[in-house]
Amino acid sequence: MSGRVLVGVKRVIDYAVKIRVKPDHTGVVTDGVKHSMNPFCEIAVEEAVKLKEKKLIKEVVAVSCGPQQSQETIRTALAMGADRGIHVEVSGKDYDSLGPLQVSKILAALAKKEEAQLIILGKQAIDDDCNQTGQMTAALLDWPQGTFASEVSLEAEKIKVVREIDGGLETIKINTPAVLTADLRLNTPRYATLPNIMKAKKKKIANVKPADLGVDLTSRLEVLRVDEPPQREAGVKVETVEDLVAKLKDTGKI
Amino acid sequence: MRKVFVLTRVTRLLVPERVFHSAVGREAFHLQQRRCFRTHSRNLAYAKDLFLGQINKAEVFPYPEIGNEELEELKQFVAPVEKFFSEEVDSATIDHEAKIPAETLRGLKDLGLFGIMIPEEYGGLGLSNTMYARLNEIIALDGSIAVTLAAHQAIGLKGILLAGNEAQKKKYLPKLASGEHIAAFCLTESGSGSDAASIQTRATLSEDGKHYLINGSKIWISNGGMADIMTVFARTEVEVDGVKKDKISAFVVERAFGGVTSGKPEDKLGIRGSYTCEVSFDNVPVPVENVIGEIGGGFKIAMNILNSGRFSMGSSCAGMIKKLIELTSEYAATRKQFNRSLSEFGLIQEKFALMAINAFVMESMAYLTAGMMDRPGVPECSLEAAMVKVFSSEGGWVCCSEALQVLGGLGYTKNYPFERYLRDCRILPIFEGTNEILRMYIALTGMQHAGNVLTRKVKELKKGNIFLAIGMVGKSIRTSLGGSVDLGLTGNDWVVHPSLEESAKKLEENVSFFGSTVEMLLHRYGKTIVDEQLALKKVADVVINLYAMTAVLSRASRSICIGLRNHDQEVLLTNTFCNDTFFKNNFLMVQLQKHSPENNDANIKKIATAVLANRAYTCSHPLERTF
């Protein structure tokens, strides 16, 4: 199977950063905070580039939805080996309310426009942990989906996917075109080497607006409040089991 | 051009302030300035002119900037390098095994870090000095790797970059850029360290005139055991005006030429992962095409190479200190004694302030110097680079020590990285030119420049240049009357932001006093100043401080003007540093004045002479009796 692969990459707060809630409780502090590519998106890009290196696909297109800074994330994907990028410009209030439903509509529209054969996404983003975009995109396109992929192999016109599920590993075979979402053990993403970053400067990033794709960005969700998780309280040590039961009864746990 | 400059100074002295600042006065002043047509290339003499009590504003204000595109690119570069160093570099193991693992070296090569400043056409990244300095902030997190990379590209192959011909560049640079070949810089010998001109390794021309045969032994060669390409310095016989003389020449020597042997790695205190060893040359045949530059021009090339890499020590140390601050503050915030966290105690807070100020000053100096070096033209920033090196190496050592102190006993163990940082840091004041030599270089070069200018002025005076006489007399009167100094940093044409006015005034005062102190020293000692190392040390310390103050004022002014995040912190750091340093400078300069009671130099010499003659401590034991 040859053709085009669309890879979605999301710009998120770096995994090593300590998250702080904004004083007005409307969200988390993002100003001046280190951002980078979502780790699962890195794995998705790596998989796509690997497929291209095996000559199983022809072109890798990196897509990101967000403000101006999302271009940095696309550049990283280009430095890892993607051929070109598409930046879907979403900023301001639209960006704050951008969620899996809107992104999947955008990706579905782009997949049709670019005549993509495969969409590879990360299984979830580490900021919202939604784990929905891949599934929604497949549904909108009416394509099969191979989610939580820990192994992907292309066989003729089908894709064999080994999925990580609660019970263990599940192997499925799906038709193309399809949507895959990458899980942790799918591969180890390569470093974007400095020479590759320089080469990537010559690669193109196209600018697209959601309206051009005929996508409506209105959200059905409203964020009411964002709070930090409750502070962990100190534990209490007890001497005997009777004490334990008594304490549990006292605090109304049983 | 000088005449016009003097005219403007005289105008300012003779014309009363209020007239001067009136429209007419200003117009006249500007007319004078407009006559300064630039008929020669930019003479980067910021530090040198400090010795004349002059601040060349245009060289250091505004603080150098890089374009938006360059900044974006830099951020892109920084990300994977940081990731690599935090995930793939195990500094503790490298230190313990005294070896950098092959996979780590491979990773560094793949990242492209072996050819940062080699031009793209030869396979390198072609980055500027500023970018190199920025990447060094991260690379410095592991001392052994930092030294290995620096020995390879900042000095090892620099000769080919700076003075090599097209053929040499084409032949050697591509493999050096990819890291397939590693480079080393071979100058030092057992008998010639600081006195580099006294090297004994010899290169003799073969009978057929096609080869040089190199014989000799070099020591302390970083990358000595794994280098394939070496820049070797040796004595060659040259003919100057019919007289045969011995001059040093630079050669590109391949290990593959045969006759090159390297010893086993030295067991060092720090940077243990860096391969440092002896390298011997036994009749090594080097084709004449491999001479770098001209025969006999090797010493100058060596000095240029060393000068060009020095400035990056500023950003390396700043990067290391910033990391130390992170590690140490975690501990200070959580560790409690006397029912309070360490961070609440004054003596601990002082250490953090020290580290913050040092990192701030080092960064500012490093990037100011890098920015100056990146300007078009031939940058002559050897003085400024040397100053960055001296300040950063000593500041780094002190900060490492204080950071370790915060952790107390824990800091002293190998379970924490502090002792390794301390050991790795100790080499900084030693290599790349010992701080003692660099201080002498800084002081003497500056004083020579001042001496030349002053000698010219004296000649002009003798010719009967009235304006010059008036200018000099006016200046002396003003200085002795203790009038306020105005060197143009503040006021109507300010380059330093008004919120830093006090600190700028302190700098101007120091610079002015420094100018007259230098003049007085030259008067007093003349050429014999060369032997007055204790006085020269004070001169060097003052001018290093002046450059540091300039750097922070320039950087902070820019930050305020463009509204950079946390610029109020920068104002605080700048004012604190300038305040502290102003008084230190004054004390140093007071000691340099004639018959200064604060000056202990004569006694210091007496003590040292006695101890060295005795080869031991000279006093009797305090418990000794005479009856």
Side-chain angles (χ1 to χ4, degrees):
Chain A
M1 126 173 180
S2 61
R4 197 167 286 138
V5 175
L6 233 56
V7 181
V9 294
K10 186 178 181 188
R11 179 177 180 263
V12 298
I13 296 179
D14 190 82
Y15 75 90
V17 170
K18 186 158 196 271
I19 310 286
R20 264 179 253 277
V21 174
K22 282 203 273 208
D24 59 6
H25 293 276
T26 55
V28 298
V29 176
T30 51
D31 261 349
V33 171
K34 185 174 179 203
H35 283 67
S36 45
M37 192 193 288
N38 182 35
F40 294 107
C41 297
E42 281 179 3
I43 299 175
V45 174
E46 176 65 25
E47 197 58 29
V49 175
K50 271 205 169 86
L51 287 175
K52 191 179 100 167
E53 283 169 351
K54 287 190 203 148
K55 299 211 200 299
L56 293 168
I57 53 148
K58 278 220 176 82
E59 195 188 23
V60 178
V61 184
V63 182
S64 193
C65 307
Q68 186 65 14
Q69 297 95 319
S70 294
Q71 294 211 6
E72 292 164 17
T73 316
I74 301 177
R75 291 242 166 261
T76 309
L78 293 174
M80 285 173 74
D83 299 290
R84 59 183 168 90
I86 300 177
H87 173 214
V88 182
E89 244 188 276
V90 180
S91 45
K93 284 258 170 279
D94 283 336
Y95 182 61
D96 290 336
S97 62
L98 192 71
L101 182 59
Q102 292 77 20
V103 174
S104 53
K105 286 182 188 171
I106 293 173
L107 289 177
L110 275 173
K112 288 200 192 116
K113 185 160 173 257
E114 298 284 334
E115 293 174 352
Q117 297 253 266
L118 193 55
I119 300 179
I120 311 184
L121 307 174
K123 74 171 179 184
Q124 66 196 60
I126 60 171
D127 51 6
D128 54 22
D129 286 324
C130 285
N131 192 342
Q132 298 169 359
T133 309
Q135 292 85 339
M136 285 181 174
T137 312
L140 286 170
L141 287 166
D142 197 25
W143 286 5
Q145 55 185 261
T147 53
F148 307 103
S150 67
E151 225 185 281
V152 168
S153 40
L154 269 54
E155 291 166 11
E157 291 302 307
K158 291 191 193 272
I159 309 181
K160 188 172 95 169
V161 184
V162 177
R163 306 178 57 231
E164 293 202 12
I165 59 173
D166 287 347
L169 297 172
E170 179 194 55
T171 310
I172 60 171
K173 220 181 218 165
I174 54 179
N175 290 322
T176 55
V179 175
L180 302 176
T181 70
D183 206 324
L184 191 62
R185 279 156 280 269
L186 180 57
N187 59 49
T188 312
R190 63 194 63 190
Y191 287 99
T193 66
L194 306 196
N196 283 345
I197 293 175
M198 295 193 63
K199 281 188 207 135
K201 274 198 293 191
K202 301 190 187 101
K203 297 183 185 173
K204 288 202 187 340
I205 300 182
N207 236 307
V208 177
K209 291 209 173 45
D212 301 339
L213 299 167
V215 170
D216 169 28
L217 287 179
T218 42
S219 173
R220 280 92 162 134
L221 297 176
E222 188 193 331
V223 173
L224 297 175
R225 197 184 156 85
V226 177
D227 280 311
E228 290 204 2
Q231 289 282 15
R232 195 172 165 186
E233 273 160 37
V236 178
K237 265 195 171 146
V238 291
E239 295 296 305
T240 67
V241 178
E242 287 78 27
D243 283 345
L244 177 62
V245 174
K247 271 237 150 54
L248 287 171
K249 280 199 178 139
D250 271 345
T251 51
K253 302 276 192 238
I254 52 170
Chain B
M1 190 178 147
R2 213 177 318 111
K3 251 195 175 144
V4 177
F5 177 74
V6 166
L7 264 165
T8 57
R9 279 173 70 196
V10 165
T11 319
R12 296 187 72 161
L13 285 168
L14 292 182
V15 174
E17 286 290 302
R18 57 177 170 76
V19 174
F20 182 72
H21 282 295
S22 74
V24 172
R26 259 203 299 279
E27 195 53 57
F29 181 64
H30 283 134
L31 264 174
Q32 312 280 26
Q33 291 227 304
R34 242 174 266 152
R35 276 199 231 145
C36 293
F37 291 128
R38 213 176 279 291
T39 51
H40 50 267
S41 68
R42 212 165 168 161
N43 187 15
L44 279 164
Y46 177 72
K48 281 189 187 160
D49 282 345
L50 286 175
F51 285 78
L52 292 161
Q54 267 168 234
I55 294 184
N56 291 349
K57 304 197 287 191
E59 300 302 338
V60 291
F61 292 95
Y63 198 72
E65 276 195 340
I66 59 175
N68 238 331
E69 222 190 274
E70 246 192 293
L71 185 61
E72 278 311 309
E73 199 182 47
L74 198 55
K75 287 186 182 163
Q76 290 255 295
F77 286 148
V78 162
V81 180
E82 273 181 344
K83 194 164 175 221
F84 183 79
F85 272 80
S86 68
E87 291 173 14
E88 305 282 330
V89 172
D90 184 355
S91 299
T93 311
I94 292 176
D95 179 65
H96 188 252
E97 303 293 311
K99 191 170 155 57
I100 303 175
E103 316 89 63
T104 313
L105 274 178
R106 173 92 261 141
L108 293 166
K109 289 175 190 178
D110 287 340
L111 272 173
L113 293 176
F114 272 71
I116 299 178
M117 286 176 70
I118 296 180
E120 273 183 81
E121 65 207 88
Y122 302 111
L125 295 176
L127 300 185
S128 61
N129 287 303
T130 308
M131 306 258 226
Y132 179 65
R134 179 63 186 89
L135 289 175
N136 260 317
E137 278 191 45
I138 313 163
I139 298 172
L141 294 176
D142 184 289
S144 304
I145 293 181
V147 169
T148 304
L149 287 175
H152 167 81
Q153 57 190 326
I155 51 175
L157 55 84
K158 227 4 144 44
I160 304 175
L161 264 185
L162 293 178
N165 57 38
E166 191 57 39
Q168 289 164 340
K169 287 181 184 174
K170 267 213 177 84
K171 182 172 184 195
Y172 292 111
L173 290 180
K175 290 209 171 122
L176 288 167
S178 68
E180 195 181 325
H181 282 163
I182 298 186
F185 183 81
C186 301
L187 174 64
T188 308
E189 298 172 8
S190 57
S192 312
S194 287
D195 187 5
S198 69
I199 55 171
Q200 294 299 302
T201 301
R202 186 157 274 286
T204 35
L205 194 55
S206 63
E207 292 269 311
D208 58 8
K210 290 203 179 141
H211 286 97
Y212 277 94
L213 292 171
I214 297 190
N215 277 291
S217 229
K218 301 284 185 186
I219 61 166
W220 304 137
I221 308 302
S222 296
N223 296 347
M226 35 186 219
D228 311 278
I229 310 289
M230 293 169 258
T231 303
V232 182
F233 295 86
R235 298 197 95 79
T236 45
E237 206 180 62
V238 288
E239 230 178 81
V240 179
D241 299 327
V243 179
K244 286 212 165 108
K245 279 190 178 172
D246 250 6
K247 283 194 159 227
I248 298 174
S249 303
F251 300 88
V252 179
V253 177
E254 296 178 37
R255 193 182 285 269
F257 288 160
V260 180
T261 43
S262 47
K264 59 177 178 57
E266 300 280 349
D267 193 11
K268 305 189 295 289
L269 170 68
I271 54 165
R272 292 172 57 74
S274 159
Y275 198 135
T276 316
C277 65
E278 248 190 62
V279 181
S280 300
F281 303 92
D282 186 9
N283 275 330
V284 180
V286 179
V288 293
E289 300 83 56
N290 277 28
V291 173
I292 304 179
E294 292 195 3
I295 273 286
F299 188 74
K300 204 160 168 224
I301 292 175
M303 292 304 110
N304 281 344
I305 294 173
L306 291 169
N307 286 339
S308 71
R310 239 169 231 148
F311 72 96
S312 65
M313 201 177 279
S315 58
S316 302
C317 282
M320 181 195 65
I321 296 177
K322 288 192 268 195
K323 181 88 190 151
L324 285 175
I325 293 178
E326 272 176 36
L327 295 172
T328 321
S329 51
E330 257 313 307
Y331 183 77
T334 44
R335 164 82 171 173
K336 284 191 171 199
Q337 285 288 268
F338 308 108
N339 232 337
R340 298 156 73 182
S341 72
L342 290 191
S343 49
E344 295 178 55
F345 294 104
L347 291 179
I348 300 293
Q349 292 169 341
E350 191 179 23
K351 296 182 205 302
F352 284 97
L354 179 77
M355 288 194 272
I357 292 175
N358 265 293
F360 183 67
V361 176
M362 286 175 200
E363 275 183 333
S364 310
M365 285 172 91
Y367 288 107
L368 175 61
T369 315
M372 282 163 72
M373 289 171 73
D374 281 338
R375 291 197 187 129
V378 182
E380 218 303 280
C381 304
S382 61
L383 224 59
E384 288 83 354
M387 293 193 260
V388 174
K389 195 266 187 187
V390 172
F391 188 93
S392 309
S393 52
E394 289 172 12
W397 173 246
V398 169
C399 287
C400 273
S401 189
E402 293 294 292
L404 191 153
Q405 184 77 2
V406 173
L407 266 86
L410 281 179
Y412 201 63
T413 67
K414 287 204 184 243
N415 301 331
Y416 285 79
F418 297 90
E419 57 84 34
R420 188 187 67 241
Y421 276 113
L422 195 63
R423 284 185 291 109
D424 284 347
C425 246
R426 188 58 187 87
I427 191 65
L428 298 175
I430 299 174
F431 72 3
E432 287 224 32
T434 59
N435 284 7
E436 285 74 21
I437 291 293
L438 289 179
R439 279 194 163 89
M440 295 302 110
Y441 173 69
I442 292 167
L444 286 172
T445 313
M447 296 193 77
Q448 186 186 55
H449 172 76
N452 286 343
V453 174
L454 290 169
T455 317
R456 274 206 295 268
K457 276 195 179 167
V458 170
K459 282 201 184 125
E460 291 279 314
L461 265 178
K462 289 193 176 146
K463 279 196 221 156
N465 188 329
I466 306 288
F467 289 114
L468 183 55
I470 297 177
M472 289 174 74
V473 166
K475 183 178 169 204
S476 326
I477 295 177
R478 284 199 120 200
T479 324
S480 51
L481 281 180
S484 70
V485 178
D486 184 7
L487 294 173
L489 290 183
T490 56
N492 280 340
D493 292 318
W494 60 264
V495 281
V496 175
H497 193 271
S499 24
L500 298 166
E501 194 171 318
E502 264 191 55
S503 296
K505 287 260 157 257
K506 291 193 171 105
L507 174 62
E508 288 180 337
E509 216 184 289
N510 269 167
V511 170
S512 177
F513 190 16
F514 184 60
S516 38
T517 306
V518 165
E519 212 180 302
M520 174 270 304
L521 282 171
L522 284 169
H523 237 19
R524 200 192 315 165
Y525 292 107
K527 287 214 164 80
T528 67
I529 191 82
V530 184
D531 298 313
E532 298 296 323
Q533 289 207 337
L534 293 171
L536 288 173
K537 178 185 183 214
K538 295 184 181 49
V539 170
D541 284 344
V542 173
V543 77
I544 293 172
N545 284 340
L546 293 178
Y547 188 53
M549 287 165 83
T550 313
V552 296
L553 282 168
S554 180
R555 177 224 177 129
S557 290
R558 170 180 173 262
S559 300
I560 304 171
C561 287
I562 65 174
L564 212 53
R565 181 184 297 277
N566 288 336
H567 63 257
D568 52 332
Q569 279 296 302
E570 296 192 32
V571 173
L572 186 59
L573 288 165
T574 305
N575 287 336
T576 315
F577 177 70
C578 288
N579 200 21
D580 202 34
T581 313
F582 172 68
F583 292 106
K584 282 189 185 143
N585 282 344
N586 278 337
F587 183 55
L588 284 166
M589 289 190 277
V590 153
Q591 287 179 61
L592 287 169
Q593 306 304 316
K594 205 159 189 175
H595 306 312
S596 159
E598 292 88 358
N599 191 321
N600 273 324
D601 289 352
N603 287 349
I604 289 174
K605 282 221 150 129
K606 285 189 193 146
I607 299 171
T609 311
V611 167
L612 288 165
N614 204 26
R615 306 243 182 140
Y617 180 60
T618 47
C619 301
S620 306
H621 199 271
L623 300 175
E624 207 54 73
R625 292 170 66 103
T626 53
F627 60 89

